Amino acid sequence: MSKDVKIRKGVNIKLKGVAEKLYADASSTSDVVIKPTDFPGLIPKLSVKVGDKVKAGSPLFYNKEIDRVLFTSPISGEVTEINRGEKRRILEVKVRADGSNTYETFKQGDPDNMAKEEILDTMLKSGVWPFIRQRPYDVIANPMDTPKAIHVTAFDSAPLAPDFGFIAHGQGDLLQVGLDALTKLTSGTVHLNITGNANADEAFNSAKSVQINKISGPHPAGNVGIQMHHIDPINKGEVVWVLNALDVLTIGKVFKEGKFDASRTIAVAGSKITTPKYVKTILGANVGDFLKGNLEEEARVISGNPLTGTHIQSDGHLGFYNYQITAIPAGGEPRFMGWLPFLGFTGFSLSRTSFSFLNPNKERDLDANINGEERAFVMAGQYEKLFPMDIFPVHLVKSMIYKDIDLMENLGVYEVAPEDFALCEYACTSKIETQKIVREALDLVRKETS
Amino acid sequence: MKALEKFMQKVKPKSDGKFPIAHAVWDGTYTFLFVPGHTNKNGVHIRDSVDLKRTMIIVVLALIPCLLFGIYNVGHQHFLAIGDCLSSDHVCDLFMDKFLFGAMKVLPLVIISYGVGLGVEFVFAAINRHPIQEGFLVSGMLIPLIVPVDIPWAMLAVAVVFAVILGKEVFGGTGMNVLNVALVTRAFLFFAYPTKMSGDKVWTNTDLAEGEHLIDMYSGATPMGNAANGVMEKMPSLMELVVGFIPGSIGETSVIAIGLGAILLLFTGIASWRIMLSTFIGGYVMCLIFNAAAGDNLFMAMSPVHQLAMGGFAFGLVFMATDPVTGTQTNSGKWVYGILIGILAILIRVANPAYPEGMMLAILIGNVCAPLIDHVVINSNIKKRIKRVKTA
């Protein structure tokens, strides 16, 4: 039953500062922040106010549209700040650690022997539900839906991404518990998509009661949307749930230990990190705690990878879905005649307009400069080379720009997520903010069709 | 460079000031000197070093061999006409004279093309308050290369204004135009001032200085003009067509110079090899069809290689058909588009004596058909997706 998929389009952008497969000294976090802005389309309603004491697993806020979807605190402590932005939109909920590590308890048990409703209830109450996202729209899954399949990606192909196998090594039992819970939620198959570029870790290879697919090829092979498109594409009116294998471990812990243990191992990588390594920390952790002394000057700190991550301060917080902190040079210097091909500045380019093509395997040190200005959407064929779906990326993006929902539907808007366009955005000659366009279009389609 | 950067920042006019055009000009100059240090805000944090400026500059670089050869050939044809050198004396002791003479004739056309075109662009940038876009960098270089050397300057200026405004800005500027701007310029000249764009008087500069006179029996007709008039005995050899010491539009005569440009464009991946190859195939096949139906028509019987080396076919194939804005954008559409252009170019050239060269009209027709071709290709993808829903 398992499928072997070979992705041909795409590219691995090799960056300096790959995390060494070693654990840095563990440090406990001083505070955590949960950012409602990590969840597209979410309207949060607070369950706490400043000064409230919470345990790990106590709700901080919930989804106004589906109030069963709770967002819970990863640690025990006190709610110290609720930061709001324009129109009082909630940006951050901060919990200061009290160091006692007390947990809310949830119903423990083997998912195999639990009813679907019980599993749903445990996942929703413990706060692991938001790990499950859905296609279409790339938003948190609706627990009322029954998806036609669930896809779990077991690797990340983005630049400087953590090795999931290294992190999950030896936790095959937890993974299995999590996968067992997921199989109860769908009428179809649970797909575990492992990498075909290297040997996948035993924890993934030995998974049972799921369909294991092998995906090989360059980035974005690790994007679950790309995998899904090649294994079992989604059609209009269908719903598929997606998540990543490391989050399945957290779900497994809820059922095995009866608590929301949000601790996670992340890669701290990038050329501005003195010693790039793996760090054991927790969801929403203050990155300043482990970046202190390890971060060089003039860095841009990113929660996530350099293609899809969020720019945070050097004492910012780890995003909900991120297993990676990246620090790259901040950039910001104008370059004299930087547009000249083949001359002067040795900018990296996927096109052959810079000598970097002679040395494709060299690790590059790219900064955050745009390297040009936004221009009209002139296509030089880059999108097609980097977008491994049977979809016309340029025409889809154009239909998104002029908001033609019918055309978007026809061109495959239900299959895509912003992250699938990240490489296109990277290579775009016209410096279009492609991911933003896709996100806004998905929000629009969701609003208009629901 | 730091000092220059500081100076530029110091003289920066306000974008909402009294003279928006001052800001547009400043912005155009500054971004030419420096790639601004803007950093990514949303989305990706790293970006490829290629931008539209670099893309356009590469096309301009690819046109340089054609420009240099064109300049030399203008001088060569002139001295040939007044009998100062023999047609076989490609590189004689008049080398510098030929080059300087050519430069005197061609560079004003380049300056007019860029000056007028960029002037119009700056005005529109100021009106719309957007930064100037680089599209005209290429058009401005293409235009002087596809006109006869004796084109009056005022006509060229009028044509450029027409092409930039009606060919491009009314559609929304760079990236939005339906037709290739340089070809709109040429088409405008061709239909508005036909006497200055065809015949046998315009391709060679025959202004005579004191004591000079044209050699006996001089004819400035191009091979294309001769062929259209049925004069086949004066047809240059294949070698002459490929090297390019023949009368013609300034940049189109030398297949070798065009080839150098093509190599750069294909190597950098800026121009589509699909369009180049399919246009060639289309033209070649059309030649074979004419060959088969030729009878005693010598023009129809001309060998395909000879036919394709002649006139503007090669130049149009490399630099105009491959325009990413006005061409097809889907990969399978590119094949159809190229073959269509190739067939039409030879068809118009051979079958219609009113138009000695067909490439210009072929590409313009191709431009107009490109959205339709893409539409068909995209619809097949849409149908596939709809079918999937039905079978699922």
Side-chain angles (χ1 to χ4, degrees):
Chain A
M1 271 299 282
S2 74
K3 277 196 179 177
D4 272 3
V5 177
K6 196 161 175 54
I7 304 288
R8 289 202 166 74
K9 294 176 175 178
V11 69
N12 291 322
I13 299 171
K14 298 207 165 61
L15 294 182
K16 266 187 193 158
V18 178
E20 211 182 332
K21 285 185 185 165
L22 289 172
Y23 287 108
D25 295 335
S27 65
S28 59
T29 185
S30 50
D31 51 69
V32 300
V33 159
I34 300 294
K35 293 173 265 194
T37 49
D38 281 347
F39 313 99
L42 173 76
I43 305 171
K45 288 289 268 184
L46 286 171
S47 323
V48 291
K49 45 187 196 301
V50 173
D52 283 359
K53 297 263 191 278
V54 291
K55 292 184 197 169
S58 310
L60 297 176
F61 54 91
Y62 60 92
N63 184 347
K64 190 184 170 193
E65 285 163 337
I66 310 165
D67 56 11
R68 292 174 75 193
V69 178
L70 304 182
F71 300 83
T72 58
S73 172
I75 56 169
S76 59
E78 183 187 338
V79 179
T80 53
E81 270 176 54
I82 294 168
N83 294 325
R84 290 174 184 270
E86 277 170 37
K87 296 185 188 163
R88 296 194 31 87
R89 197 163 80 110
I90 304 165
L91 299 180
E92 294 183 336
V93 178
K94 193 183 234 177
V95 179
R96 184 173 300 285
D98 61 7
S100 69
N101 290 331
T102 49
Y103 293 91
E104 298 276 0
T105 50
F106 301 103
K107 188 167 180 195
Q108 210 168 327
D110 183 356
D112 274 341
N113 306 323
M114 289 165 88
K116 182 186 170 188
E117 199 44 45
E118 274 182 299
I119 291 177
L120 272 179
D121 201 52
T122 305
M123 289 177 72
L124 287 161
K125 279 194 177 140
S126 61
V128 294
W129 186 261
F131 288 127
I132 306 179
R133 287 191 277 185
Q134 68 162 55
R135 294 293 150 81
Y137 314 130
D138 193 35
V139 292
I140 297 170
N142 183 347
M144 316 292 252
D145 289 336
T146 306
K148 83 160 181 174
I150 297 178
H151 285 263
V152 179
T153 175
F155 67 107
D156 187 346
S157 53
L160 301 174
D163 181 347
F164 282 14
F166 175 70
I167 296 175
H169 184 72
Q171 303 190 63
D173 51 337
L174 276 179
L175 183 80
Q176 191 59 52
V177 175
L179 291 174
D180 287 343
L182 293 176
T183 47
K184 286 278 174 97
L185 301 180
T186 172
S187 51
T189 319
V190 174
H191 296 267
L192 181 67
N193 304 328
I194 61 174
T195 176
N197 297 331
N199 281 332
D201 190 80
E202 191 50 32
F204 301 131
N205 276 330
S206 59
K208 285 177 215 55
S209 68
V210 295
Q211 177 175 332
I212 299 181
N213 306 297
K214 237 183 206 178
I215 321 287
S216 53
H219 186 61
N223 284 8
V224 67
I226 306 288
Q227 301 165 353
M228 207 170 85
H229 177 84
H230 290 275
I231 295 164
D232 179 18
I234 179 170
N235 299 308
K236 187 185 175 184
E238 294 172 340
V239 175
V240 172
W241 289 354
V242 300
L243 65 169
N244 100 37
L246 300 180
D247 293 330
V248 178
L249 294 178
T250 311
I251 295 172
K253 273 186 253 181
V254 172
F255 289 97
K256 196 151 192 192
E257 298 162 11
K259 61 185 190 186
F260 179 44
D261 177 1
S263 61
R264 58 172 63 175
T265 302
I266 65 166
V268 179
S271 63
K272 285 288 181 183
I273 299 288
T274 319
T275 49
K277 279 183 186 173
Y278 286 77
V279 171
K280 283 184 175 165
T281 178
I282 196 158
L283 168 64
N286 187 328
V287 300
D289 293 332
F290 51 82
L291 285 185
K292 218 174 286 158
N294 199 12
L295 184 69
E296 289 166 23
E297 299 272 290
E298 301 201 354
R300 166 181 288 221
V301 181
I302 301 159
S303 174
N305 68 59
L307 292 178
T308 60
T310 316
H311 184 185
I312 57 171
Q313 300 302 313
S314 57
D315 59 349
H317 296 81
L318 183 66
F320 194 84
Y321 295 106
N322 301 140
Y323 283 82
Q324 178 180 4
I325 294 290
T326 317
I328 60 169
E333 282 293 305
R335 287 198 185 96
F336 182 64
M337 298 226 164
W339 45 266
L340 275 176
F342 302 120
L343 287 176
F345 123 91
T346 54
F348 173 72
S349 177
L350 298 176
S351 68
R352 271 183 280 187
T353 60
S354 142
F355 281 120
S356 62
F357 74 88
L358 293 173
N359 201 351
N361 287 321
K362 190 180 163 196
E363 290 183 344
R364 306 279 164 180
D365 188 12
L366 303 187
D367 62 24
N369 273 2
I370 297 179
N371 295 328
E373 292 176 291
E374 185 165 335
R375 287 293 182 254
F377 205 169
V378 175
M379 293 329 308
Q382 296 108 338
Y383 279 44
E384 287 81 358
K385 283 184 201 152
L386 299 170
F387 193 79
M389 290 197 197
D390 184 18
I391 282 177
F392 286 104
V394 175
H395 296 89
L396 180 55
V397 171
K398 283 192 175 175
S399 69
M400 288 169 166
I401 292 173
Y402 56 77
K403 300 192 166 76
D404 183 338
I405 292 179
D406 284 342
L407 188 59
M408 282 189 239
E409 242 177 32
N410 285 335
L411 289 172
V413 73
Y414 296 122
E415 303 184 48
V416 299
E419 61 173 12
D420 302 332
F421 285 91
L423 268 181
C424 299
E425 186 178 355
Y426 165 83
C428 185
T429 311
S430 304
K431 311 292 176 188
I432 305 270
E433 291 186 336
T434 320
Q435 292 185 87
K436 193 175 154 209
I437 292 168
V438 177
R439 184 67 259 165
E440 283 168 4
L442 291 174
D443 291 342
L444 176 78
V445 178
R446 181 166 171 242
K447 201 174 127 211
E448 296 292 323
T449 54
S450 60
Chain B
M1 292 313 125
K2 273 266 183 290
L4 182 61
E5 222 274 311
K6 252 187 202 155
F7 171 76
M8 286 302 290
Q9 291 295 356
K10 212 174 126 192
V11 299
K12 178 178 181 177
K14 279 194 188 119
S15 60
D16 50 357
K18 256 185 195 163
F19 304 103
I21 192 147
H23 183 265
V25 173
W26 178 87
D27 188 67
T29 317
Y30 177 76
T31 55
F32 180 79
L33 289 171
F34 297 95
V35 172
H38 305 157
T39 52
N40 295 295
K41 301 257 163 1
N42 312 301
V44 293
H45 297 272
I46 51 176
R47 289 270 198 178
D48 202 276
S49 68
V50 74
D51 65 350
L52 201 58
K53 236 183 216 93
R54 183 184 287 183
T55 309
M56 293 297 180
I57 287 293
I58 285 178
V59 185
V60 174
L61 288 179
L63 284 163
I64 296 293
C66 291
L67 177 71
L68 293 178
F69 184 87
I71 286 175
Y72 184 75
N73 190 39
V74 164
H76 179 70
Q77 295 301 330
H78 172 78
F79 285 105
L80 212 57
I82 61 171
D84 274 11
C85 70
L86 296 171
S87 60
S88 54
D89 267 350
H90 295 144
V91 187
C92 57
D93 47 358
L94 289 172
F95 183 84
M96 275 322 283
D97 296 284
K98 285 179 185 172
F99 199 82
L100 285 177
F101 183 87
M104 300 254 294
K105 293 291 163 197
V106 175
L107 292 184
L109 300 182
V110 177
I111 292 167
I112 289 169
S113 166
Y114 270 122
V116 173
L118 288 177
V120 176
E121 292 249 336
F122 274 124
V123 170
F124 273 89
I127 293 173
N128 299 330
R129 301 198 183 243
H130 63 57
I132 186 147
Q133 307 223 357
E134 290 81 3
F136 197 76
L137 286 180
V138 172
S139 306
M141 182 57 90
L142 281 172
I143 290 166
L145 296 183
I146 55 172
V147 294
V149 60
D150 258 4
I151 187 86
W153 295 354
M155 286 182 195
L156 183 66
V158 171
V160 170
V161 171
F162 174 86
V164 174
I165 295 180
L166 281 175
K168 181 158 143 184
E169 292 299 341
V170 292
F171 294 104
T174 299
M176 317 290 179
N177 46 314
V178 177
L179 298 172
N180 184 306
V181 177
L183 282 176
V184 173
T185 312
R186 196 180 195 283
F188 178 84
L189 288 168
F190 187 83
F191 291 110
Y193 308 108
T195 54
K196 295 290 177 187
M197 288 297 288
S198 50
D200 48 16
K201 297 284 180 288
V202 299
W203 306 101
T204 304
N205 183 283
T206 50
D207 296 344
L208 299 177
E210 209 175 327
E212 292 177 351
H213 58 89
L214 293 179
I215 55 169
D216 294 343
M217 302 292 292
Y218 171 75
S219 157
T222 63
M224 300 284 353
N226 281 333
N229 293 328
V231 188
M232 295 301 292
E233 60 271 23
K234 283 187 184 162
M235 192 53 66
S237 69
L238 182 60
M239 196 58 195
E240 281 172 300
L241 287 174
V242 169
V243 177
F245 287 109
I246 47 169
S249 293
I250 293 166
E252 69 169 18
T253 58
S254 170
V255 178
I256 292 177
I258 296 166
L260 288 176
I263 289 170
L264 180 64
L265 291 182
L266 290 175
F267 176 77
T268 52
I270 302 256
S272 161
W273 61 268
R274 289 182 181 86
I275 293 181
M276 285 199 203
L277 181 61
S278 57
T279 307
F280 180 80
I281 293 172
Y284 199 92
V285 167
M286 199 61 211
C287 289
L288 291 180
I289 293 172
F290 274 125
N291 284 172
D296 54 359
N297 185 329
L298 286 174
F299 196 24
M300 282 166 80
M302 198 179 222
S303 86
V305 176
H306 214 122
Q307 182 76 272
L308 298 185
M310 202 163 60
F313 189 86
F315 190 86
L317 176 150
V318 171
F319 295 109
M320 318 271 242
T322 53
D323 177 352
V325 175
T326 56
T328 43
Q329 292 169 353
T330 53
N331 282 345
S332 26
K334 281 173 182 161
W335 289 103
V336 180
Y337 171 78
I339 288 173
L340 179 75
I341 289 177
I343 290 176
L344 281 175
I346 301 301
L347 183 69
I348 296 172
R349 175 193 283 187
V350 175
N352 191 337
Y355 301 112
E357 174 55 300
M359 201 56 181
M360 171 184 85
L361 290 171
I363 297 175
L364 287 174
I365 294 170
N367 285 171
V368 174
C369 294
L372 181 68
I373 298 170
D374 275 341
H375 181 79
V376 174
V377 174
I378 289 166
N379 257 359
S380 75
N381 179 276
I382 290 173
K383 285 212 186 90
K384 205 158 57 177
R385 190 161 294 106
I386 291 171
K387 207 172 146 200
R388 204 169 72 198
V389 180
K390 281 183 187 148
T391 53

